[in-house]
Amino acid sequence: QVQLMESGGGLVQAGGSLRLSCAASGRIGTIYAMGWYRQAPGKQRELVATITSGGRTNYGDFVKGRFTISRDNAKNTVALQMNSLKPEDTAAYYCNADLSISGKLGSWSLWGQGTQVTVSS
């Protein structure tokens, strides 16, 4: 009933930039927080960045000022601008949203399908 659709992944050389976008659609009630996580082969999924509806952000320690998360509450979208990319940033990046669904009780944590980011050295 609610879907998250990611876009913007791809192949980039080290030092380059990519911008990921995620749009939530469907029977959305309220989106409390949106964010990005990543998972490299053989590793656990880890936090990249999150942003609340009020604009409070949280970043993984490895980001070190290279990435910026932003959100458009009116459009139910979240974006991740990634600069100074490194080969170790190579991973599948997943959009996440904590939200309520119209007509359903409680809050839900939904995931997108993921978009691959590959950084070559």
Side-chain angles (χ1 to χ4, degrees):
Q1 293 186 339
V2 176
Q3 290 184 323
L4 301 180
M5 184 66 69
E6 300 124 330
S7 62
L11 173 64
V12 65
Q13 288 188 331
S17 299
L18 280 175
R19 183 177 178 84
L20 306 183
S21 297
C22 174
S25 62
R27 297 172 59 87
I28 299 167
T30 301
I31 301 179
Y32 305 111
M34 300 185 80
W36 293 91
Y37 292 74
R38 71 183 189 182
Q39 188 167 19
K43 295 187 177 181
Q44 289 188 331
R45 190 170 294 188
E46 62 179 349
L47 166 72
V48 179
T50 60
I51 184 168
T52 67
S53 57
R56 180 174 297 179
T57 59
N58 183 40
Y59 292 92
D61 291 340
F62 62 87
V63 170
K64 298 187 189 303
R66 299 182 297 130
F67 300 174
T68 302
I69 191 170
S70 60
R71 176 174 169 175
D72 187 329
N73 291 330
K75 296 181 179 179
N76 294 326
T77 59
V78 63
L80 183 70
Q81 177 66 41
M82 303 186 293
N83 300 325
S84 302
L85 283 161
K86 305 174 182 180
E88 50 264 43
D89 294 317
T90 295
Y93 283 69
Y94 296 90
C95 178
N96 173 260
D98 292 330
L99 49 76
S100 64
I101 297 175
S102 180
K104 289 193 171 185
L105 296 176
S107 61
W108 303 77
S109 183
L110 299 183
W111 294 89
Q113 295 289 329
T115 185
Q116 180 66 35
V117 171
T118 302
V119 185
S120 63
S121 58

